[in-house]
Amino acid sequence: MASDGSPKPPLRGSEPPDASITSGALARRLGISPTTLRSWDQRYSLGPARRRRGHHRRWSPQDVAMVEDMCSLTASGVSPAEAARSAKERAHAAPQGQGTRPVLASSATAAGTSGKAGSRGSSGLPFGAVRAECRGLARAALRLESVAIQEQLNAFVQEHGVVAAWEELMMPTLHAVGRKWESSGDRYVEVEHLLSWHVSTALRNAQLLLGPGETRKGGSPVLLACVPGEQHTLPLEAVHAALLQRGRPVRMLGAAVPAEALIAAVLRTGPAAVVLWSQTRSLASTPLALHLLGMGWGVNGARQQAALVLAGPGWRGSRIEGAVQPQGLREAIALLAPESSVPSE
């Protein structure tokens, strides 16, 4: 310890080369924006103990543990000022060479760039074997950090595309948040609402994030709609974004589409396929599905029909001859926009 009671910085060369990480990697790992990390440093002196002029700041395992403590405290409702004071006190009270809790072994893991995580992380959410980025996103959601949530979602979409973003980041985190509030007496509802809104924003902005795809000319569109009464649209928004990424013409009708309106849209657009989403079994309408299968349009002798894709858990157990029921987004996109039909650049 130094004479003023603060911990001495570790000796140069006393840590392995990968023991410290950059500010950007730490922000991604903890699910906060780099701006928040800088603000905590400026306001509460919650920054790396070792600094070198002209170099990016590097955070040691002890620094990381202190900021993790700050994140946990603020997520539980403690004010930032009080959380910072407590985190620094715990860090100073910890034995030399140890943080306030076990820290990550390498900067690659800390950055959340690869690998699967365990069943429950410091976010406190019930996860299975998921990507490390899910934990960072969950932490940002629990703290209601809008900027960090959107930054992480946008970055993942840009790097991995819509299908991977939905299956590997958005859906696992949404499910974990949903299970959290269901088991917590309806707490954390605001977390799910905020996360859902930002997921929707990322999906709708996917074309801007990935660049405009080359849309096939003259192709019949895919028509997307929720069954009457169905309000859950996020999975259908993922289908919409993924089809646009493949250059497939698509029309989105959204939530709770009345049967009459859906039938009118089919007749007006002449779609190649209709995707009918149902989250719950009680809303999955077999009569509506059968009616869509029997519909046709165009002049006599050359009438056309749309392929019917029944998507969502509400259709499980239904046996409707002529309809297709894909298992997940990846399979649905393979059916609706196969790679061989994507325009070449």
Side-chain angles (χ1 to χ4, degrees):
M1 299 287 287
S3 58
D4 61 355
S6 61
K8 291 182 179 180
L11 297 175
R12 185 182 300 273
S14 62
E15 296 176 336
D18 63 350
S20 60
I21 61 174
T22 65
S23 295
L26 179 58
R28 290 192 297 272
R29 169 67 181 88
L30 298 178
I32 60 179
S33 70
T35 302
T36 298
L37 200 57
R38 288 193 296 270
S39 175
W40 286 353
D41 188 8
Q42 293 167 358
R43 293 183 181 183
Y44 312 118
S45 299
L46 209 71
R50 298 178 62 187
R51 305 170 188 255
R52 289 194 299 165
R53 289 186 179 181
H55 293 270
H56 291 295
R57 296 187 303 169
R58 307 287 299 191
W59 299 73
S60 71
Q62 292 73 38
D63 299 327
V64 172
M66 182 168 60
V67 181
E68 283 184 332
D69 208 13
M70 173 78 170
C71 289
S72 296
L73 290 167
T74 55
S76 66
V78 178
S79 70
E82 179 64 22
R85 184 190 63 78
S86 179
K88 288 191 290 186
E89 285 182 354
R90 295 187 199 185
H92 293 171
Q96 182 66 29
Q98 298 182 16
T100 56
R101 62 169 59 85
V103 295
L104 299 168
S106 69
S107 59
T109 305
T113 55
S114 63
K116 303 289 185 180
S119 61
R120 184 181 293 268
S122 58
S123 64
L125 293 177
F127 281 110
V130 296
R131 296 183 65 109
E133 289 93 337
C134 293
R135 282 176 173 42
L137 182 60
R139 293 188 185 95
L142 286 172
R143 291 192 305 276
L144 304 182
E145 288 273 2
S146 288
V147 173
I149 293 170
Q150 203 64 61
E151 284 180 351
Q152 291 179 67
L153 288 168
N154 291 349
F156 201 97
V157 170
Q158 285 179 308
E159 183 175 355
H160 301 285
V162 172
V163 174
W166 175 254
E167 293 186 342
E168 300 176 24
L169 177 65
M170 297 171 176
M171 188 168 58
T173 308
L174 284 166
H175 284 175
V177 170
R179 290 192 297 270
K180 180 72 171 179
W181 74 255
E182 285 176 355
S183 62
S184 303
D186 286 341
R187 293 177 60 203
Y188 305 104
V189 174
E190 72 284 0
V191 175
E192 184 178 36
H193 280 235
L194 183 69
L195 180 59
S196 297
W197 191 87
H198 283 290
V199 167
S200 178
T201 300
L203 291 172
R204 297 189 189 198
N205 289 339
Q207 269 196 305
L208 298 176
L209 297 170
L210 296 168
E214 183 182 348
T215 304
R216 288 182 292 176
K217 304 254 192 240
S220 297
V222 175
L223 192 63
L224 309 179
C226 290
V227 296
E230 179 58 73
Q231 298 293 335
H232 294 83
T233 63
L234 280 181
L236 209 57
E237 291 176 39
V239 175
H240 181 268
L243 288 175
L244 288 179
Q245 187 182 354
R246 291 282 185 93
R248 192 76 163 85
V250 60
R251 305 288 185 270
M252 165 68 92
L253 300 185
V257 181
E260 297 80 1
L262 176 57
I263 292 168
V266 170
L267 293 173
R268 290 178 63 185
T269 61
V274 176
V275 179
L276 198 55
W277 173 267
S278 178
Q279 182 78 15
T280 56
R281 184 170 298 181
S282 61
L283 294 175
S285 173
T286 298
L288 177 58
L290 292 173
H291 185 85
L292 292 173
L293 281 170
M295 285 184 62
W297 57 87
V299 298
N300 290 334
R303 296 184 71 77
Q304 303 177 58
Q305 287 183 303
L308 180 60
V309 178
L310 302 178
W315 295 106
R316 288 175 187 161
S318 301
R319 294 292 181 266
I320 300 177
E321 186 176 353
V324 181
Q325 298 185 41
Q327 301 300 310
L329 178 61
R330 195 174 299 271
E331 184 177 333
I333 299 306
L335 290 168
L336 297 166
E339 291 282 4
S340 58
S341 67
V342 177
S344 58
E345 297 183 358

